[in-house]
Amino acid sequence: MHPPEIRDRAIAMHAEGVPFRLIWQTLNLSPHTVGNWLYGERARRRRERIPDARCPRCADPPRLPEAPATYAYLLGQYLGDGHIVRSQRTVLLAVYCDNKYPGIIAEIEAAMRACGARSVHHRARIGCTAVSALWKHWPCLLPQHGPGIKHARPIALADWQEPIVDAHAEAFVRGLIHSDGCRFTNRVVVSGRTYEYPRYMFTNESTDIMRLCSRSLDRLGIEWRMSRRNTLSVAKRTSVARLDEFVGPKS
Ligand SMILES: [Zn+2]
């Protein structure tokens, strides 16, 4: 018997489009074993096991996600630097995170689990880790999924998402800044004394995502300005202090 993590890994690679031969070679398994996992009887049953009680949106009537703040965080992460890849049989949600931030990597994993993922995988990329989970209901929870890159298509919240993002603006902004933002310190030396000015930045090519970010900041009373076409900056001391309450330096 192989541990279930190995089987999940094979299914995840398959969903990512890794060629069959490469999957069994990489995992050092027989093609027969991997073929069974991907195409066998259990795989068929796995596909046909509907409805999936874990998906709040497929419930009748649809429910809201059970952990709304965590959901708002995951939505922010997804809109920042997340990807949804559909294969014939399942859907992969992947969020990329710099290896410098193990705390954020753990938070993404916890959020995926809280929102319905059964198992979460970490895959090393150059300088970063892809945190990913297979679940065909990710597009139900993240209906912003669509063909092409995010900034080339309109991004709007679904009616049921709006109140969650409004009620959990802090978690949503935390997710956005953890993915596509940063906190940095400007140091200025005047007459031998060093003054430090912490700031926040959020960079995103999508004007729709930028609007969602600024709307949440407005709601939280945080002042911001666009320092560049694609970059929002928070520099006012009281606003930086407010962000520090629920974002802080990445770690
Ligand atoms: Zn669903």
Side-chain angles (χ1 to χ4, degrees):
M1 278 294 285
H2 298 282
E5 299 86 67
I6 303 283
R7 195 199 63 189
D8 288 351
R9 176 106 196 272
I11 295 170
M13 290 170 87
H14 180 62
E16 276 186 329
V18 178
F20 179 67
R21 171 190 286 272
L22 206 56
I23 299 176
W24 60 262
Q25 285 177 343
T26 307
L27 299 177
N28 204 18
L29 297 161
S30 75
H32 176 77
T33 300
V34 175
N36 245 335
W37 288 343
L38 301 182
Y39 310 111
E41 179 59 22
R42 275 186 65 183
R44 192 182 64 76
R45 287 210 305 270
R46 192 169 56 234
R47 285 195 300 280
E48 289 173 2
R49 201 189 305 141
I50 49 171
D52 188 330
R54 283 180 295 155
C55 178
R57 302 310 301 161
C58 287
D60 185 19
R63 306 185 306 266
L64 293 177
E66 278 82 15
T70 311
Y71 169 75
Y73 176 79
L74 186 65
L75 177 64
Q77 279 279 3
Y78 165 70
L79 292 178
D81 203 13
H83 302 267
I84 283 181
V85 185
R86 277 175 188 274
S87 73
Q88 265 181 317
R89 293 173 183 84
T90 186
V91 177
L92 181 89
L93 168 66
V95 177
Y96 297 89
C97 184
D98 196 304
N99 290 337
K100 283 185 298 195
Y101 309 127
I104 295 178
I105 292 174
E107 192 166 347
I108 296 168
E109 168 166 356
M112 286 180 173
R113 287 186 191 281
C115 290
R118 279 229 171 91
S119 55
V120 178
H121 304 267
H122 294 212
R123 254 177 286 278
R125 295 281 187 268
I126 299 166
C128 75
T129 296
V131 185
S132 65
L134 289 168
W135 191 25
K136 66 178 170 188
H137 294 270
W138 286 126
C140 309
L141 286 175
L142 301 166
Q144 284 68 35
H145 168 60
I149 41 180
K150 287 194 206 92
H151 66 261
R153 55 188 156 88
I155 300 284
L157 296 181
D159 288 347
W160 62 267
Q161 289 177 301
E162 299 251 4
I164 298 178
V165 168
D166 284 348
H168 301 281
E170 291 186 357
F172 180 63
V173 168
R174 180 177 165 84
L176 287 172
I177 292 180
H178 273 181
S179 63
D180 265 356
C182 64
R183 181 192 192 275
F184 64 99
T185 304
N186 264 4
R187 285 191 178 79
V188 182
V189 181
V190 181
S191 319
R193 280 191 64 181
T194 306
Y195 297 87
E196 296 194 340
Y197 302 95
R199 313 217 143 150
Y200 281 89
M201 272 188 4
F202 176 69
T203 305
N204 197 288
E205 292 298 327
S206 159
T207 49
D208 286 344
I209 293 173
M210 200 53 93
R211 202 172 302 121
L212 291 173
C213 180
S214 56
R215 197 181 76 172
S216 291
L217 291 173
D218 285 345
R219 214 179 159 78
L220 296 166
I222 293 168
E223 289 185 38
W224 56 271
R225 67 182 182 87
M226 296 305 290
S227 55
R228 268 186 238 141
R229 176 190 57 79
N230 61 352
T231 305
L232 178 153
S233 144
V234 175
K236 200 181 168 193
R237 186 197 296 249
T238 49
S239 292
V240 169
R242 183 76 183 86
L243 276 177
D244 279 346
E245 289 171 18
F246 60 90
V247 185
K250 290 176 157 189
S251 62

